Amino acid sequence: SHLTESDRQRIEYRLRQGMSFQQLALELGKSRTTISREVLKHRQASEKGAAGRITNRCIYRKSCNIWHLCVGRRCCRRCSACSNCNRVCPEFKEDVCSKLSQTPYVCNGCPDEFKCVLKKQFYISSSANCEYRQLLVESRNGVNLTEAEQAEISNLIHAGTQSGQSVHHIMASNKDNFTVCEKTVYRYINGGIIRTKRGDMPRSCSMKPRKRKSIEHKVDARCRINRTYDDFKKYREEHPDSPVVEMDSVIGKVGGKVLLTMNFNHCALMLAFLRNSNNSQSVIDVFNMLEECLTIEVFQTLFPVILTDNGSEFSNPDALERSPSSGKVRTRIFYCNAYSSWQKGHVENNHLNLRKVLPKGRDLENFTQDDINIVVSHINGLSRKSLNDASATTLFETLYGKEILEKLGLKFIRENAVRLLPDLINK
């Protein structure tokens, strides 16, 4: 029932000829709904204008009489006849082509395509097929288990192997608890998803372990509903005074301890918390610890909005946003777009200072939270040009008080005592 590459090429070709979805469906032997979903899902936005015409997309462009919006430029034309109009005019309101909300939903085959200056949508078969192939690959990656299912299977396997039972015996005795096959369970064990060690399975000890990439937990895309980067921008427009905290993970040695970093954008202060593993529960534990240490009122003041990436460790936003004791909303979580780390550039830039002390690949196993607090205290002690040569620690203390700073485990480091070298913590 899936569309092939040749089917997609045929769709693009026929759309250019003005063929309807119904005719396309009959030609390809597919349903009309399949064709319409394919076009809507894979259409590509385009900024293409029109040759010889000013790219003005304002709904007022035909009746506008505004002049001289560009400061410092001597111009004798109306602003609506200038390519800078849409960028500088405060009254700009974009005109959207009504044809894009009707079949065929794209500009392929539109007779006005070459004279239209509005934003366009095109169906391109090569791009559509690449997106389809990528979706197939992603659907077969990762662990297709919820956290509850993962914990249940892990406990069953661990308890059974501790009693000398084989994986096959455990699965045969608990058929109703397993939704995956035996081979998949062994993959989970070798990938570290299930906590049983290879040493608990005698036969596995006689076999040389294969070198495989560790299995990542599959992220449920539904967790990003109403939490995308566009939703974040909309929320910021409605709440411009809410400070933003950017969150990320920093990996030391692969498979070892990791850091959860949180950066306050308005004062450049960074926090870092040591975690034993890079999973969602470890992040939830940090949030609960912070709430218990600071009280929920202070937590809501410090972390009203959090922007992070799409890592699996951040895939349980409901547990992060709500207090486990009272059920109150303590923060709002939003996600950057995929492969767009620049959208949380503040924390990424502060990682450059962190990597001066903890270079990539450095093992964090022997570090304690006190050690990490010393590292970030030195980073926060840097004099920053963006803060008028003040340090992040000084500004944070001015805004929230010394008591909160101490509860977060941070110390004031004198300017001349700041040291950002690997020998700061000798472990």
Side-chain angles (χ1 to χ4, degrees):
S1 62
H2 290 219
L3 292 171
T4 64
E5 185 174 5
S6 61
D7 289 337
R8 292 184 170 86
Q9 292 172 349
R10 176 64 61 177
I11 291 173
E12 181 182 2
Y13 176 70
R14 290 304 190 190
L15 286 175
R16 281 288 180 191
Q17 293 183 326
M19 183 176 283
S20 68
F21 284 172
Q22 187 63 43
Q23 293 172 316
L24 260 171
L26 292 173
E27 182 174 315
L28 296 177
K30 307 290 182 180
S31 71
R32 183 185 180 282
T33 306
T34 299
I35 306 299
S36 62
R37 286 178 179 172
E38 168 70 17
V39 173
L40 281 171
K41 186 174 183 178
H42 297 296
R43 62 181 182 175
Q44 305 282 324
S46 173
E47 295 285 339
K48 178 182 176 182
R53 301 191 68 185
I54 300 297
T55 307
N56 187 336
R57 296 178 174 133
C58 182
I59 62 174
Y60 307 119
R61 62 186 180 278
K62 295 181 180 179
S63 58
C64 180
N65 289 314
I66 298 177
W67 294 68
H68 308 301
L69 278 177
C70 297
V71 179
R73 290 183 60 185
R74 298 181 63 184
C75 183
C76 59
R77 295 190 300 175
R78 283 190 311 162
C79 292
S80 60
C82 176
S83 58
N84 292 329
C85 168
N86 297 172
R87 182 173 56 85
V88 301
C89 182
E91 304 296 329
F92 170 69
K93 187 175 181 180
E94 186 173 357
D95 189 7
V96 179
C97 181
S98 59
K99 294 180 181 179
L100 294 178
S101 60
Q102 307 167 3
T103 55
Y105 308 116
V106 288
C107 299
N108 301 53
C110 177
D112 298 327
E113 174 189 343
F114 298 103
K115 62 181 180 180
C116 177
V117 298
L118 303 182
K119 286 186 178 178
K120 300 176 177 63
Q121 296 276 0
F122 291 100
Y123 179 81
I124 303 172
S125 60
S126 56
S127 299
N129 201 61
C130 287
E131 291 178 359
Y132 165 75
R133 298 300 305 174
Q134 182 64 28
L135 180 63
L136 287 184
V137 172
E138 291 177 354
S139 67
R140 290 167 171 80
N141 286 337
V143 181
N144 194 18
L145 295 173
T146 64
E147 291 185 356
E149 291 172 338
Q150 180 184 345
E152 182 182 9
I153 291 177
S154 182
N155 291 335
L156 283 172
I157 296 294
H158 183 70
T161 53
Q162 291 298 308
S163 299
Q165 300 173 7
S166 66
V167 171
H168 179 79
H169 174 84
I170 297 168
M171 295 185 67
S173 303
N174 302 272
K175 292 181 179 180
D176 295 338
N177 299 97
F178 289 89
T179 57
V180 294
C181 67
E182 186 174 333
K183 182 178 179 181
T184 300
V185 171
Y186 275 105
R187 286 181 55 242
Y188 290 170
I189 293 172
N190 292 329
I193 301 301
I194 294 177
R195 62 190 181 98
T196 295
K197 300 178 181 178
R198 287 176 56 85
D200 295 333
M201 299 179 291
R203 185 171 178 179
S204 294
C205 291
S206 63
M207 304 177 187
K208 183 178 179 180
R210 297 179 182 179
K211 293 182 178 179
R212 289 181 177 176
K213 184 179 179 181
S214 61
I215 306 172
E216 297 181 354
H217 197 283
K218 183 178 287 185
V219 177
D220 187 355
R222 288 176 295 180
C223 72
R224 302 189 185 94
I225 296 175
N226 297 326
R227 297 186 178 93
T228 64
Y229 191 70
D230 289 335
D231 295 321
F232 167 74
K233 292 192 291 185
K234 183 178 179 181
Y235 183 88
R236 289 288 292 145
E237 290 175 358
E238 297 172 353
H239 305 83
D241 297 329
S242 294
V244 177
V245 177
E246 294 178 354
M247 181 168 65
D248 202 359
S249 291
V250 174
I251 298 175
K253 187 177 180 180
V254 176
K257 291 183 178 180
V258 296
L259 296 178
L260 175 72
T261 57
M262 306 177 81
N263 192 90
F264 296 86
N265 291 0
H266 60 295
C267 64
L269 187 98
M270 184 169 71
L271 305 176
F273 302 96
L274 194 63
R275 298 178 289 144
N276 291 326
S277 56
N278 195 26
N279 55 36
S280 62
Q281 186 57 50
S282 66
V283 179
I284 295 169
D285 291 340
V286 172
F287 273 56
N288 294 341
M289 178 273 294
L290 285 171
E291 180 189 333
E292 184 179 352
C293 174
L294 299 170
T295 72
I296 188 171
E297 291 77 17
V298 176
F299 189 100
Q300 291 170 331
T301 301
L302 292 180
F303 308 99
V305 183
I306 297 178
L307 180 65
T308 187
D309 58 27
N310 297 279
S312 60
E313 67 270 31
F314 307 124
S315 61
N316 195 347
D318 291 329
L320 297 176
E321 289 181 336
R322 292 190 176 274
S323 168
S325 55
S326 64
K328 293 181 179 179
V329 175
R330 58 188 176 185
T331 186
R332 288 292 306 274
I333 303 291
F334 293 97
Y335 297 97
C336 297
N337 295 329
Y339 310 108
S340 302
S341 59
W342 54 269
Q343 292 175 347
K344 53 179 180 60
H346 296 85
V347 69
E348 296 288 352
N349 287 336
N350 232 348
H351 284 175
L352 299 177
N353 295 319
L354 183 64
R355 286 302 189 185
K356 294 177 182 178
V357 184
L358 303 174
K360 288 186 177 181
R362 183 166 184 179
D363 195 351
L364 303 177
E365 289 300 314
N366 296 325
F367 281 75
T368 65
Q369 184 59 47
D370 289 338
D371 297 328
I372 300 301
N373 289 342
I374 292 174
V375 173
V376 294
S377 293
H378 279 259
I379 294 173
N380 293 327
L382 284 171
S383 297
R384 299 176 184 267
K385 185 177 181 180
S386 60
L387 303 180
N388 198 23
D389 293 335
S391 68
T393 306
T394 303
L395 182 54
F396 185 90
E397 183 179 341
T398 303
L399 292 173
Y400 301 109
K402 186 176 182 180
E403 182 181 357
I404 294 180
L405 195 68
E406 292 175 348
K407 285 184 177 181
L408 293 172
L410 301 180
K411 299 179 180 179
F412 180 79
I413 306 297
R414 291 182 294 103
E415 295 177 352
N416 294 331
V418 171
R419 185 173 182 82
L420 297 181
L421 291 174
D423 62 2
L424 176 62
I425 303 292
N426 290 317
K427 293 278 183 176

